[in-house]
Amino acid sequence: MEAIVSSTTFSPFPKPLTRPLTRPLTRCSLAPEQKKDRSTGWSSSAVKGMAALALSLAVNLTPLAAVESAMASEFDVLRDGPPKESYVVDDAGVLSRVTKSDLKRLLSDLEARKNLRVNFVTVRKLTSKADAFEYADQVLEKWYPTLEEGKNKGVVVLLTSQKEGAITGGPDFIQAVGDAILDATVSENLPVLATDEKYNEAVYSSAKRLVAAIDGLPDPGGPSVKDNKRESNFKTKEETEEKRGQFSLVVGGLLVVSFVVPMAQYYAYVSRK
């Protein structure tokens, strides 16, 4: 594990774009013949003006806000820093309260005993990095910019959109867990369970596996990979030939019956005469 020497700097968020309203709310004067319905006319104008204002705001502002919100998620995690009251940043919103509570109990005990802290991060989609591994390294360097701060820290990232995960950490954390368990957790617990959208189990089973390795306990192992191959509906060549032979026998029998039976009936009819 290379020493953490610097933090990554990000460009600031783009400023919200604004556009002038294309249909401003203005007063309109009533024609003399409309004075009898003055109250109704003013009410109708106000309603139409407010509708135009709302429509203009929706068209001009809502798409931009949605885009910025979708792009800002992963950067929010970096900007906000490591969680202080827990060990989880559930940006993807896939973890239950029970899982968060179980993680806090398990990982706080680990930190108290071993002076090793493990943080879990869930994100939906990445726009700045190619994969979960790059983003995990970025989170570690941003949250703990010096070697002294990050040497005993670990970061586990679960990327829900791509059903994959990554683990990184400082030298003390990597040495305590071991490369074998790190690789196994990344290739088994995180992707296998995430594929079935069992995100809570993916995160908590990974935590238990890491803690067991740090404590020198037997490896609880990962989930078994299910064979998702569907049974083929196509027949093999042997099955096709067998069915073809049976079909030929049936057809041949029907042809014989259709020829012999009428002839026998005709012969019986002629004999009676």
Side-chain angles (χ1 to χ4, degrees):
M1 180 69 185
E2 297 180 0
I4 304 173
V5 296
S6 62
S7 59
T8 305
T9 304
F10 295 93
S11 59
F13 296 109
K15 296 182 178 180
L17 300 179
T18 58
R19 301 177 185 173
L21 298 179
T22 58
R23 189 180 298 176
L25 181 61
T26 59
R27 285 194 174 187
C28 58
S29 60
L30 297 177
E33 61 272 18
Q34 295 177 319
K35 290 184 179 180
K36 293 181 180 180
D37 299 328
R38 183 182 299 270
S39 59
T40 303
W42 281 110
S43 175
S44 177
S45 295
V47 171
K48 291 180 180 178
M50 292 301 295
L53 176 62
L55 179 61
S56 179
L57 288 174
V59 171
N60 290 296
L61 299 181
T62 300
L64 297 176
V67 171
E68 289 179 4
S69 176
M71 296 182 62
S73 179
E74 65 193 274
F75 301 109
D76 289 341
V77 174
L78 296 170
R79 184 188 64 240
D80 294 342
K84 297 179 175 59
E85 301 297 330
S86 68
Y87 294 79
V88 182
V89 177
D90 184 24
D91 186 74
V94 295
L95 302 181
S96 66
R97 291 184 178 180
V98 174
T99 299
K100 294 177 182 179
S101 177
D102 291 342
L103 283 172
K104 183 176 181 179
R105 182 174 60 255
L106 178 67
L107 298 177
S108 62
D109 176 71
L110 174 69
E111 186 175 14
R113 293 185 295 103
K114 300 292 186 176
N115 192 31
L116 294 172
R117 180 182 178 91
V118 185
N119 294 308
F120 281 78
V121 178
T122 70
V123 291
R124 294 184 184 88
K125 184 179 181 180
L126 298 178
T127 59
S128 64
K129 294 297 176 183
D131 55 29
F133 290 95
E134 284 190 65
Y135 185 68
D137 289 336
Q138 189 178 18
V139 171
L140 181 68
E141 294 174 1
K142 186 68 175 180
W143 285 2
Y144 310 105
T146 67
L147 176 61
E148 187 62 28
E149 291 177 297
K151 65 180 182 179
N152 62 336
K153 306 298 192 303
V155 173
V156 182
V157 170
L158 176 61
L159 182 57
T160 60
S161 64
Q162 295 178 329
K163 315 298 184 186
E164 66 177 15
I167 303 176
T168 189
D172 291 354
F173 169 78
I174 297 298
Q175 183 178 2
V177 178
D179 292 337
I181 297 299
L182 290 173
D183 293 340
T185 304
V186 169
S187 60
E188 297 172 2
N189 297 72
L190 294 174
V192 172
L193 293 170
T195 299
D196 294 333
E197 296 188 355
K198 297 179 179 179
Y199 302 118
N200 290 276
E201 187 178 351
V203 168
Y204 191 61
S205 66
S206 298
K208 290 193 297 183
R209 197 168 188 180
L210 295 175
V211 171
I214 294 173
D215 287 335
L217 300 176
D219 179 22
S224 57
V225 180
K226 297 180 181 179
D227 185 6
N228 294 324
K229 295 182 179 179
R230 297 181 179 180
E231 184 178 355
S232 175
N233 293 325
F234 295 99
K235 303 297 183 181
T236 62
K237 181 178 180 181
E238 292 76 12
E239 292 174 335
T240 303
E241 293 296 335
E242 181 182 356
K243 294 294 183 181
R244 183 180 298 171
Q246 295 175 356
F247 178 75
S248 299
L249 291 175
V250 172
V251 172
L254 291 175
L255 289 175
V256 171
V257 170
S258 64
F259 178 75
V260 172
V261 170
M263 291 297 294
Q265 291 176 342
Y266 177 77
Y267 179 75
Y269 174 78
V270 173
S271 298
R272 285 198 297 269
K273 288 185 175 183

